[in-house]
Amino acid sequence: MKKEQFYRLGIFLAAMVGGLVRYLISTWLPASPDFPFPWGTLLVNYLGIFCLIYLVKGYLVYKGTSKGLVLALGTGFCGGLTTFSSLMLDAVKLLDIGRYLSLSIYLFLSIGGGLLLAYVLGRKKW
């Protein structure tokens, strides 16, 4: 098997695991009918930021970890775990049911909080 094919297989398998983790977290933290805040989506996106910025781009790249592992965890696992489309779907659902305050908080935490988390984690010098 060529190196590129090995990388693709690693990315594929890691993306499956990331997607499964996202699904499990969303079933563990479902939005309730009384308070339909998308905690699961927010959590997986924060976990993805931590994994990608701190572990993959920070620690693993700094330590000279193999390209295959960096691609599998970064592109595969983090790509499968995080979800911009679900963020937007959750935002539209909150908009449709008239939960404007929840929508504003969700977007602030998702975009502003995500950016702040990425910035803080990215400042770590190994």
Side-chain angles (χ1 to χ4, degrees):
M1 182 181 287
K2 293 181 181 179
K3 195 179 272 192
E4 280 299 317
Q5 291 172 322
F6 181 73
Y7 293 161
R8 290 180 190 148
L9 178 61
I11 292 167
F12 171 73
L13 294 173
M16 286 183 3
V17 173
L20 179 61
V21 169
R22 179 177 68 214
Y23 169 76
L24 292 173
I25 288 174
S26 69
T27 59
W28 178 56
L29 284 173
S32 73
D34 298 328
F35 189 70
F37 194 84
W39 292 108
T41 304
L42 184 65
L43 179 60
V44 297
N45 285 333
Y46 278 3
L47 287 173
I49 291 167
F50 174 79
C51 181
L52 186 62
I53 302 293
Y54 191 74
L55 296 178
V56 176
K57 297 300 180 194
Y59 184 76
L60 294 179
V61 170
Y62 175 78
K63 293 292 184 180
T65 305
S66 74
K67 180 181 177 183
L69 182 58
V70 169
L71 285 171
L73 289 176
T75 303
F77 181 77
C78 292
L81 177 66
T82 60
T83 172
F84 186 75
S85 56
S86 290
L87 185 153
M88 289 297 116
L89 179 61
D90 292 336
V92 168
K93 286 178 183 177
L94 290 171
L95 186 62
D96 285 346
I97 61 173
R99 299 284 188 142
Y100 305 115
L101 181 59
S102 292
L103 171 64
S104 299
I105 292 169
Y106 179 56
L107 291 176
F108 176 77
L109 290 175
S110 293
I111 298 167
L115 182 59
L116 180 63
L117 181 60
Y119 177 76
V120 169
L121 293 174
R123 308 265 315 150
K124 168 84 172 134
K125 302 294 183 216
W126 297 96

